[in-house]
Amino acid sequence: MQWSTRQVVAMAAMLGAFGATADAATLRAVANNNFVSATATGTSFLNATAPVASTWEDFDVIRNGNGTVSFRATISGNIVSADMGLGAPNTNRLISNRGAINAWEQFTLEAQANGTVAIRSATTGLYVSADLNRGGFLVADRPTVQAWEQFVLSDTSTPPTNPPTNPPTGTTPDFGPNVHVFNPSTPNLQGQINDIYNAQQPNHFGPRRDAILLTPGTYNNLRIPVGFYTQVLGLGSHPDQVHVNGDLRSNAFLDGDNATQNFWRGAENFSVTPSQGIGNNTMQWAVSQAIPFRRMHVRGNIKLNQNNGWSSGGWFSDVLVDGNVNSASQQQWISRNSQWGSWSGSNWNMVFVGVPNAPAGNFPTQGQRYTKIAQTPVIREKPYLFIDANGSYAVRLPALSTNSAGISWSNGATTPGTTLPISSFFIAKPSDSAATLNAQLAAGKHILFTPGTYVLTQTLQVNNPNTVILGLGFATLRSDNGQPLIKTADVDGLTISGLFLDAGRAESGVLMEVGPNGASASHAANPIALHDLFFRIGGAAAGRVGIALSINASNTIVDHTWLWRADHGDGVSWTDNPSANGLWVNGNDVTIYGLFVEHFQQHQVVWNGNGGRVYFYQSEIPYDPPSQSAWNSTTGRGWASYKVSNNVTSHEAWGLGIYSVFTNGGILLDRAIEVPTTSGVRFHDMISVCLGGNGGIVHVINNTGSQTGCNASFTPTVTTFP
């Protein structure tokens, strides 16, 4: 865990009467991601040169009664000193050769915005640096904190509240054959991981679904490649309780290092030291849409593409990266409530919401197209499955948070919220009928969907307030008889997360409806929350629907969604997978983070409610209009991607990118965004792009913004409207 100064002082005050207390820990320098070592004898100068932590890298962090801490090298039992009495060039170098704690052996810990700590000598007030120009030796001689003065302080002790590494036999529920529960001693663990990947990496539109669940502990030398429809989940109450020391990786699916079709994969709730990554302690996460990366701790760096290949769109939330995030070729990205050592890279549309150390620069400057919102106005983080202190499975339901920034689990804290016992959930299998699921919902059960495809002959009716529906491994719902997949009542506190909704061959009107038409209740005190919901029309087979998602209930929060009318795969043509709209919003005060909507035949988004807010929008308009005459709306050529209805008086959106890739010539879209011109409807940081050589977009918003140039030769931007 990581301690702030305030926590250290509070702990010291509590424990001071009983004498000093200590926690076992390691220190890792942000400068080079190496661990601080006290060497074999424990009496030499400390330096940050160890790529992995072993005996020489273990320290006891002693909490002194005055709010300071001291470090004791476990290899020797000696105390670390910032010795001012040493001659140059060794003055103030840290050395572990003292038998007692005096002034030079006391330090204060200061929490940094990116989750690291700075270490300050209590005697001089100067910060400890791991200056790489001095070979990484630790010296307390810096007046301010930069990268070389930041360290990751990780608790290696096991508090009694932690879940056991190996839960008692018999406590694992029956999750079915597509949930793989592993622990560090699982036989042939690497082989089993490889078998899942080898099946899923080519499975672009196949039926297989998998969830990999890692019980608490350290997984040394483990490589986890992640393919289609695969979710990797840690089962700790805190991400650092599951530690993969090896690699986590998403490889480009297409040739030429092209990751623009790397969809439907995710990782949540564990930590990764990419010691076996792509080099320089860096993991490769080459991804595009529908790739939830949540509650993760990357103990190093992360790169969001493969080599020099393309990648297109992605998501961070509640993520801590100790080092650098390199967005590389990413065309667009949203990060919410996340922290890192540094961020590099920008292309068209990069949005940061509730990120304490977002990169410098602002939209629309080339290379700095950053949209930054300091605080997340309202959010309830996604629920997560974990093993509690008694070795039992449970689901943590995070509390509602307002005006937040940074991660929810900093300094070793458990995310605020409530714990739901697994006994309160019906654990659904693909063989369960819609009637069975509805009976469980009516009886007041929550639903945990295990991986697989659920062919529903009835609409799931979610009517009880505070119901939690959580899918594992991209659990997929499909209806082939013209029935909507999910409808909810107009009730408080619903949480629906982690589902894949696939359109069937019979038109169902809508795939998911949140609140009935005419819903009017306020849910401001206990909003509805939707996380990681992914909609598909066509691709695996021909499908059709009028509207993918309709939100009628007010105060709904949407936290990452991709609504996709397929542009490739099976059953894909203007007539084989028809769908007019991706999203309709009729409710008031609906807030959406990470709205990806693509290829629908008319408006991608229609917004009718007041008080709406959208943070990041990515949309490709349809590739395949057969002609201009077949694709004209009442307002001109084509259908605006984002349509705010004329009756709306208040709406605001930040960071929007709309793209055209017309396969037929002579087709234009007059306006990427259409809104009523009124002071209460405000848009920030918009860009339109024409990919390919056909047609383009004439204006960005209403009649403002220039026409796109083909092949992305000119990408017009609008910073504010009106």
Side-chain angles (χ1 to χ4, degrees):
M1 63 183 176
Q2 297 163 342
W3 297 278
S4 68
T5 303
R6 181 190 55 171
Q7 287 178 304
V8 171
V9 171
M11 293 169 72
M14 272 194 312
L15 302 170
F18 302 97
T21 61
D23 291 285
T26 59
L27 279 167
R28 184 157 46 85
V30 169
N32 60 3
N33 287 307
N34 284 337
F35 290 91
V36 174
S37 177
T39 74
T41 61
T43 58
S44 299
F45 294 117
L46 272 62
N47 57 40
T49 56
V52 296
S54 187
T55 310
W56 301 350
E57 291 72 46
D58 284 342
F59 296 88
D60 293 326
V61 182
I62 301 168
R63 299 186 293 271
N64 302 314
N66 61 355
T68 66
V69 300
S70 298
F71 297 94
R72 181 171 56 211
T74 58
I75 188 70
S76 65
N78 290 329
I79 305 297
V80 173
S81 176
D83 195 332
M84 297 173 59
L86 295 172
N90 296 328
T91 307
N92 287 335
R93 280 196 179 188
L94 270 62
I95 187 169
S96 57
N97 65 354
R98 304 300 160 89
I101 298 173
N102 292 300
W104 291 350
E105 292 74 50
Q106 297 184 38
F107 303 86
T108 58
L109 301 180
E110 297 184 5
Q112 304 299 298
N114 61 355
T116 65
V117 296
I119 304 169
R120 197 172 191 174
S121 168
T123 305
T124 65
L126 297 175
Y127 293 96
V128 174
S129 176
D131 191 332
L132 299 185
N133 292 321
R134 300 184 298 207
F137 283 101
L138 271 60
V139 187
D141 65 348
R142 297 297 164 87
T144 59
V145 178
Q146 304 294 331
W148 287 346
E149 291 75 52
Q150 297 180 24
F151 298 86
V152 177
L153 182 61
S154 298
D155 186 10
T156 60
S157 62
T158 305
T161 56
N162 278 8
T165 298
N166 296 299
T169 303
T171 61
T172 301
D174 178 11
F175 291 129
N178 300 320
V179 174
H180 314 273
V181 182
F182 297 139
N183 64 60
S185 59
T186 297
N188 190 30
L189 176 55
Q190 187 66 69
Q192 294 188 64
I193 296 278
N194 292 346
D195 287 346
I196 295 169
Y197 176 72
N198 291 336
Q200 289 288 38
Q201 178 64 356
N203 189 33
H204 193 9
F205 291 109
R208 177 166 172 163
R209 307 288 185 266
D210 287 284
I212 296 171
L213 275 52
L214 303 176
T215 64
T218 298
Y219 296 75
N220 284 317
N221 301 312
L222 182 65
R223 297 180 176 90
I224 307 179
V226 186
F228 285 106
Y229 312 112
T230 303
Q231 184 183 38
V232 187
L233 302 173
L235 290 175
S237 61
H238 185 280
D240 285 328
Q241 290 179 348
V242 175
H243 179 207
V244 174
N245 183 5
D247 193 26
L248 174 72
R249 186 176 302 195
S250 176
N251 294 310
F253 172 64
L254 298 175
D255 293 338
D257 298 319
N258 188 335
T260 58
Q261 291 183 16
N262 277 40
F263 312 145
W264 308 311
R265 63 197 70 198
E268 301 181 41
N269 197 34
F270 62 99
S271 63
V272 180
T273 298
S275 56
Q276 299 176 12
I278 59 175
N280 192 33
N281 202 35
T282 300
M283 64 168 278
Q284 172 183 289
W285 192 244
V287 291
S288 289
Q289 290 85 353
I291 44 84
F293 197 82
R294 294 179 178 268
R295 285 179 58 81
M296 293 293 291
H297 182 187
V298 179
R299 302 183 181 189
N301 309 306
I302 185 169
K303 186 170 183 278
L304 302 178
N305 76 331
Q306 180 170 304
N307 297 322
N308 296 315
W310 280 107
S311 49
S312 179
W315 170 270
F316 276 174
S317 57
D318 219 12
V319 168
L320 172 62
V321 179
D322 293 345
N324 175 255
V325 180
N326 180 4
S327 68
S329 66
Q330 277 292 342
Q331 295 168 347
Q332 59 270 314
W333 192 275
I334 174 171
S335 301
R336 180 185 61 69
N337 288 88
S338 294
Q339 301 170 203
W340 42 69
S342 61
W343 177 285
S344 57
S346 167
N347 201 333
W348 292 326
N349 181 31
M350 323 298 283
V351 177
F352 307 89
V353 186
V355 173
N357 55 333
N362 291 284
F363 191 96
T365 303
Q366 184 72 34
Q368 296 180 338
R369 284 180 178 157
Y370 302 134
T371 299
K372 295 176 282 190
I373 299 93
Q375 294 182 317
T376 301
V378 59
I379 193 64
R380 178 181 286 127
E381 296 288 352
K382 183 181 178 182
Y384 56 94
L385 184 69
F386 76 107
I387 298 173
D388 67 18
N390 298 317
S392 299
Y393 283 76
V395 171
R396 184 72 173 174
L397 180 64
L400 188 69
S401 176
T402 58
N403 300 322
S404 62
I407 58 177
S408 70
W409 47 273
S410 60
N411 300 314
T414 299
T415 299
T418 57
T419 295
L420 306 174
I422 199 67
S423 59
S424 66
F425 284 79
F426 176 72
I427 300 176
K429 311 291 195 325
S431 57
D432 290 318
S433 67
T436 296
L437 297 171
N438 276 327
Q440 294 292 331
L441 288 167
K445 284 282 193 177
H446 309 297
I447 303 287
L448 183 72
F449 281 95
T450 60
T453 298
Y454 296 72
V455 180
L456 304 179
T457 58
Q458 302 173 15
T459 300
L460 298 185
Q461 303 286 344
V462 186
N463 296 325
N464 292 321
N466 301 309
T467 298
V468 175
I469 295 177
L470 178 61
L472 300 180
F474 297 87
T476 300
L477 311 182
R478 193 182 79 240
S479 167
D480 287 328
N481 65 348
Q483 297 296 313
L485 294 171
I486 300 175
K487 288 188 174 184
T488 82
D490 192 17
V491 295
D492 278 356
L494 302 177
T495 301
I496 303 176
S497 306
L499 292 178
F500 190 111
L501 297 96
D502 213 359
R505 55 181 176 263
E507 164 70 63
S508 59
V510 64
L511 291 182
M512 180 173 178
E513 183 179 80
V514 182
N517 287 328
S520 59
S522 171
H523 307 293
N526 189 10
I528 297 166
L530 313 177
H531 311 88
D532 298 341
L533 297 182
F534 307 126
F535 297 75
R536 183 176 68 188
I537 297 91
R544 57 186 60 226
V545 69
I547 302 168
L549 172 62
S550 179
I551 300 176
N552 301 311
S554 296
N555 310 105
T556 296
I557 301 167
V558 181
D559 195 46
H560 189 211
T561 188
W562 186 36
L563 303 102
W564 186 57
R565 175 182 167 261
D567 60 273
H568 61 275
D570 291 335
V572 173
S573 75
W574 193 250
T575 55
D576 284 342
N577 61 330
S579 186
N581 310 113
L583 173 67
W584 274 66
V585 178
N586 298 318
N588 294 325
D589 302 310
V590 170
T591 301
I592 302 182
Y593 308 97
L595 177 57
F596 299 75
V597 192
E598 298 192 289
H599 310 311
F600 290 85
Q601 292 172 310
Q602 297 182 16
H603 298 304
Q604 310 301 300
V605 171
V606 178
W607 206 290
N608 296 316
N610 275 309
R613 296 176 294 191
V614 171
Y615 301 87
F616 179 92
Y617 178 67
Q618 186 263 328
S619 177
E620 282 184 349
I621 52 183
Y623 290 2
D624 54 345
S627 65
Q628 187 71 70
S629 61
W631 196 61
N632 287 330
S633 68
T634 58
T635 60
R637 291 172 294 184
W639 297 77
S641 173
Y642 195 115
K643 175 72 172 180
V644 179
S645 296
N646 290 334
N647 63 294
V648 173
T649 58
S650 59
H651 185 90
E652 195 160 10
W654 294 260
L656 301 93
I658 294 94
Y659 315 100
S660 69
V661 194
F662 294 124
T663 54
N664 295 312
I667 297 175
L668 292 170
L669 171 62
D670 280 335
R671 289 166 290 277
I673 304 167
E674 286 183 358
V675 303
T677 304
T678 175
S679 61
V681 177
R682 301 184 297 274
F683 278 68
H684 313 272
D685 298 355
M686 296 152 278
I687 187 170
S688 59
V689 182
C690 174
L691 298 164
N694 291 325
I697 301 172
V698 178
H699 296 294
V700 177
I701 181 167
N702 289 3
N703 294 323
T704 299
S706 302
Q707 182 167 336
T708 56
C710 287
N711 299 308
S713 58
F714 178 64
T715 56
T717 61
V718 176
T719 304
T720 59
F721 185 89

